Structure formats: C-alpha cells, structure tokens
Amino acid sequence: MSPTHEPRWLTPEELRAWLRLQAVVELLPATLDAQLGRDSGLTHYEYLLLAMLSETPGRTLRMSQLASATNATLPRLSHVVKRLEARGLVTRHPCTDDRRATLARLTDAGWDTVVASAPGHVETVRRHVMDVLTPAQVEQLSTIAAAVGRSLDPEGRLYALTGD
Amino acid sequence: MSPTHEPRWLTPEELRAWLRLQAVVELLPATLDAQLGRDSGLTHYEYLLLAMLSETPGRTLRMSQLASATNATLPRLSHVVKRLEARGLVTRHPCTDDRRATLARLTDAGWDTVVASAPGHVETVRRHVMDVLTPAQVEQLSTIAAAVGRSLDPEGRLYALTGD
DNA sequence: GCGGGGTTGTTGTAGAATCAACTACCTGCC
DNA sequence: GGCAGGTAGTTGATTCTACAACAACCCCGC
C-alpha cells in the first residue's frame, strides 16, 4: 500500500451494490453446496470439476487445464481429484507426451453421477438466479460478470470466460 | 450431457452468464482474502465482521445480529469471534437484558485495525469491481444482486440488503 | 411458579481449503 | 552431454468451515 495516497471511497450507490454483491458471494456457494451435498453427496466444486470433464471430448483433461477450467489452484485440484479417484469417479493417468503432466479422466461412474446430479443442480441455479431475473438482466449480469472476471484473472486463462 | 429427461435446461445466454458468475464467485473471495491477509493479517470475513462492528453505535452488537449482518451462521461467528478475542480485537460480554445473549464489542485495537485495513480493502474492491463498470452497470449490479440475494435468503434478515 | 417449547450461543469433530516445500520433468544454452 | 531455470503436480501441516449435539435461558400457558 502507498501510505500517503488518499484512497477514493465508495459512493453510496457503490457501497450498496457492494454489500449486496458480498451477500450473494457469501450465500450462493453455501446454497449450492447444501443442495448438491444433500442430493448427490458432492461439493459444488466437485460437481463443477466433473461437469467440465463430462463436456470435454474424451472426458479427459490435463490437471493444469482442469484447474483453469474450474478457476482453482493446482494444489486444491490435486487434493480433490485424489478424493474423487478414491470414490471411483475419476482416474489419473500419466501423460506420454509430457511426463510431468497428469491426465484426469471421468469414469463411467463419474459420468453417471454428473448425469444424475445435473437436473437438481440446474434447477437450483434456475430458481435462485435465472428465474428472479428478466432476460435483459441476465444479459447485464453476463456482461458485468465478464468484466469483473477479467479484472480478477488478468492472465485470462479461465475456461468460464470463453466466448468473449 | 444426455440424460433421458432434462427439466428446464439453461439457454446458451443463461449458461454463459452462469459460468461467468461462477468464476466471479470463486475468484472474488480469494482475491480479497489474499489482499487482506497480506496487508492486514485478516480474513475477508474477519474484516467484514470488524467493519460491521465499527459502524455500529457503541461498536457493540449481539452475536445473532452480527451473524445476520455478515451473512454467516452462528457457529461460524462464534468461532471467529473467539479467535478475534484471543487477538485482542474484540471482547465478549454477557447481556444483562437477555442472559442468553452475548454482546461482541470492538476494542480500540480492533478499531485501529479496521481503520488501517480499510483503505487497502476499498482500493481492491474499487480496482476489481467498481472501476471496471460504468455507473449504469453498478446500478444494474445492485438491482440484480438484491434480487438474487432475496431468493437466497427468503427470511430477508440480511443487513446487507437494507435499503431495498 | 413450573413445565414445555422455542431462542441464543458454544463446543467438538470431521471435512475441506490454503500455503509452503518438495519431486520430477522439460527446455534452452554452453 | 550436462547444467540452469522454469513448469507440472503432489504432499503435509495448518487453518477455516459446517454440522450436530449440547447447555443456558426466555416466555407462555396452566
């Protein structure tokens, strides 16, 4: 921090927007985790991981790619994949091209889990987000989240932002 | 994904908005935690807690009120306050009116911590959120976050949504 | 006043995220 | 060839969170 630099405070409108955003950021993961945990025994992050693999040709991705795709750090991903492997939802294979790399592949059981979990998860997203917004607001949200996401991830390696 | 019966799936626009929102929800807390932890030795949640107390007349709040104000559960709050008390930033007092209740009060050291941390925190919020949006988008965000927040917290006991 | 039922808050513990090493590997350069 | 420096991933220790049980207390009806 530069100590002599006077910070620009937030305007009342900005402060209100910030407090509301903060509430969403705090409550949304808790809500998703609760629904997925109750109905499918999955964490929100675990679901996201499996879903990303399920949408990839070959259902296989390098750890580093999977980390980017799920907005996570490599250490975190490593632990989660290890747990999912122990549960038989994912397998790990060494990569022949680059022997440092590890490939994570979705098993049939993992696929079945995603397929079984998706409807309930989508329904939750719909109820708490999409259904309370107008189509115009969904577009606004998309634009706003893209802008904020870019500033949070300057390297722009996020899968989720594909389509800019 | 091809389950036999999909409920109401997301449209392409909704899916894109959802993936982007998901990225923000994942990355924003990490960014705030990193900045506050590095510069002030605080968690984002700890900062929020101290900030809420600092804005209250008497710098004192009941645990249950503080939990609502920070969008947290009571058990979580209890643990965090215990840690902050051990660090001398907060004190706990029994409430004379209702002897079940506990009052949390910000100490002078806690106040100093908030004052010292606020500029860096605000600067981070500004850089990653406000400065990448137009004033109109800030208003849109405010409206959208309020709607989503209400659906996530049906009982509407959130401090953060005050001002609807 | 005295139980029953609903609050208010704390604690213990088990699960998950974070951070800092550390290993193994690749690439480029001498 | 062999070494320096960077990349990929894993592991272990610590910290934080969530969930469930629990204790203390208020309030209301009788």
Side-chain angles (χ1 to χ4, degrees):
Chain A
M1 277 316 106
S2 40
T4 57
H5 176 49
E6 173 92 20
R8 294 171 302 158
W9 201 255
L10 299 178
T11 68
E13 295 79 23
E14 287 173 337
L15 181 58
R16 199 174 53 159
W18 172 240
L19 289 175
R20 289 171 172 179
L21 175 58
Q22 222 169 13
V24 169
V25 164
E26 191 73 40
L27 295 176
L28 192 49
T31 301
L32 297 172
D33 275 336
Q35 184 272 321
L36 280 169
R38 180 165 24 80
D39 298 346
S40 311
L42 289 175
T43 297
H44 176 215
Y45 179 73
E46 290 171 343
Y47 173 83
L48 179 61
L49 190 163
L50 297 179
M52 285 297 177
L53 279 180
S54 76
E55 285 167 5
T56 301
R59 299 177 189 172
T60 302
L61 231 38
R62 284 181 61 150
M63 293 294 281
S64 50
Q65 291 173 357
L66 191 50
S68 294
T70 56
N71 310 315
T73 60
L74 219 26
R76 178 183 183 186
L77 178 67
S78 185
H79 280 131
V80 174
V81 167
K82 184 199 275 185
R83 289 195 296 259
L84 291 176
E85 188 175 33
R87 292 165 59 183
L89 304 181
V90 159
T91 53
R92 280 189 290 191
H93 310 273
C95 176
T96 53
D97 296 359
D98 183 343
R99 283 190 315 197
R100 295 171 300 181
T102 302
L103 301 176
R105 175 156 46 207
L106 193 65
T107 65
D108 290 343
W111 173 266
D112 292 344
T113 299
V114 175
V115 169
S117 311
H121 176 63
V122 169
E123 179 55 29
T124 304
V125 171
R126 184 164 275 304
R127 175 165 51 249
H128 290 298
V129 182
M130 300 309 164
D131 281 356
V132 302
L133 302 178
T134 66
Q137 284 179 321
V138 172
E139 271 314 294
Q140 293 169 1
L141 173 60
S142 195
T143 304
I144 290 168
V148 175
R150 253 194 309 276
S151 89
L152 292 171
D153 175 55
E155 294 121 22
R157 42 190 178 65
L158 295 189
Y159 213 61
L161 294 177
T162 305
D164 278 336
Chain B
M1 237 161 296
S2 54
T4 37
H5 293 301
E6 291 150 39
R8 295 147 45 206
W9 201 253
L10 298 179
T11 68
E13 295 79 21
E14 288 173 337
L15 181 58
R16 197 173 54 157
W18 171 240
L19 289 175
R20 288 171 172 179
L21 175 58
Q22 222 169 14
V24 169
V25 164
E26 191 74 40
L27 294 176
L28 191 49
T31 301
L32 297 173
D33 274 337
Q35 184 272 320
L36 279 169
R38 181 165 23 81
D39 298 346
S40 310
L42 290 175
T43 297
H44 176 216
Y45 179 74
E46 290 171 342
Y47 173 84
L48 180 60
L49 191 163
L50 297 178
M52 286 297 178
L53 280 180
S54 77
E55 285 168 7
T56 302
R59 299 178 189 172
T60 302
L61 232 37
R62 285 180 60 151
M63 293 293 281
S64 51
Q65 293 173 359
L66 192 49
S68 294
T70 56
N71 310 315
T73 60
L74 219 26
R76 178 185 183 186
L77 177 67
S78 185
H79 281 131
V80 174
V81 167
K82 183 198 275 186
R83 290 194 294 260
L84 291 176
E85 189 176 32
R87 292 164 59 181
L89 304 181
V90 160
T91 53
R92 279 189 291 189
H93 310 274
C95 177
T96 53
D97 297 358
D98 184 342
R99 284 190 315 197
R100 294 171 299 182
T102 302
L103 301 176
R105 176 154 49 207
L106 193 64
T107 65
D108 290 344
W111 173 266
D112 292 345
T113 300
V114 176
V115 170
S117 311
H121 177 63
V122 170
E123 178 55 29
T124 305
V125 171
R126 185 165 274 305
R127 175 165 50 251
H128 290 298
V129 181
M130 301 308 163
D131 282 357
V132 302
L133 301 177
T134 66
Q137 285 179 320
V138 172
E139 272 314 295
Q140 294 170 1
L141 173 59
S142 195
T143 304
I144 290 169
V148 175
R150 255 193 309 276
S151 88
L152 291 171
D153 176 54
E155 293 121 22
R157 44 190 177 63
L158 293 189
Y159 212 62
L161 294 179
T162 304
D164 278 338

